[in-house]
Amino acid sequence: ATPRAADEVVLSADTTVALGRRILGKPSDEKEAAEFLLALGGRRHRVLTCVAVASASGIQCKDSVSTVKFKRLGDAELNAYLASGDWRGKAGGYAIQGPAGAFVPWIQGSYSAIMGLPLYETAALLSGAGVAVREGWT
């Protein structure tokens, strides 16, 4: 890794999906994506996103936990979604901002955190690191 200069700020975030005590990472293939999506169907699950900012003052972290309800998918919906490939590289096999958003009737928490970057928490961390996040707002 390249060392960070004293005046640089580094932002990092990651998201995971938890169904009960089971962590649903990024599916390795279409079969695993189908397993994840079928397991989520008709149930609520948690989406946990942590954001970290490293600056001259150290590393600060904030997390966001949201709850998402996923509808039960019929065979045609599931197969069409899998064929889209949108599940690739997505925790739990879906992204709420993509086509799978149509499978989510209810959320509690932060939509931006479910997408992968909790904006409120990120702005607070960046402000704390001396980054002008609201510069130019009117």
Side-chain angles (χ1 to χ4, degrees), residues 11 49 51 53 61-65 110 112-113 117-127:
L11 171 72
T49 301
V51 61
V53 170
C61 302
K62 289 190 179 283
D63 63 2
S64 176
V65 180
S110 169
S112 64
L117 186 66
L119 297 179
Y120 178 84
E121 292 82 353
T122 301
L125 288 171
L126 289 172
S127 291

Side-chain angles (χ1 to χ4, degrees), residues 62-111:
K62 289 190 179 283
D63 63 2
S64 176
V65 180
S66 300
T67 304
V68 177
K69 181 165 184 188
F70 217 75
K71 72 176 250 177
R72 288 189 197 278
L73 300 180
D75 289 343
E77 285 177 309
L78 176 62
N79 291 330
Y81 180 72
L82 292 171
S84 78
D86 191 63
W87 56 268
R88 295 182 195 279
K90 311 288 189 333
Y94 78 95
I96 196 168
Q97 71 275 20
F103 306 148
V104 178
W106 179 89
I107 71 166
Q108 179 180 18
S110 169
Y111 182 82

Side-chain angles (χ1 to χ4, degrees), residues 4-69:
R4 178 179 46 81
D7 63 341
E8 287 183 317
V9 175
V10 177
L11 171 72
S12 178
D14 203 5
T15 301
T16 194
V17 170
L19 180 62
R21 296 178 61 160
R22 182 177 174 200
I23 300 297
L24 304 181
K26 296 174 183 174
S28 58
D29 56 28
E30 191 172 289
K31 180 180 183 283
E32 188 172 44
E35 289 171 10
F36 287 177
L37 296 165
L38 290 171
L40 292 171
R43 300 179 66 188
R44 293 180 183 184
H45 61 277
R46 288 173 293 140
V47 176
L48 302 93
T49 301
C50 183
V51 61
V53 170
S55 66
S57 61
I59 299 173
Q60 300 297 318
C61 302
K62 289 190 179 283
D63 63 2
S64 176
V65 180
S66 300
T67 304
V68 177
K69 181 165 184 188

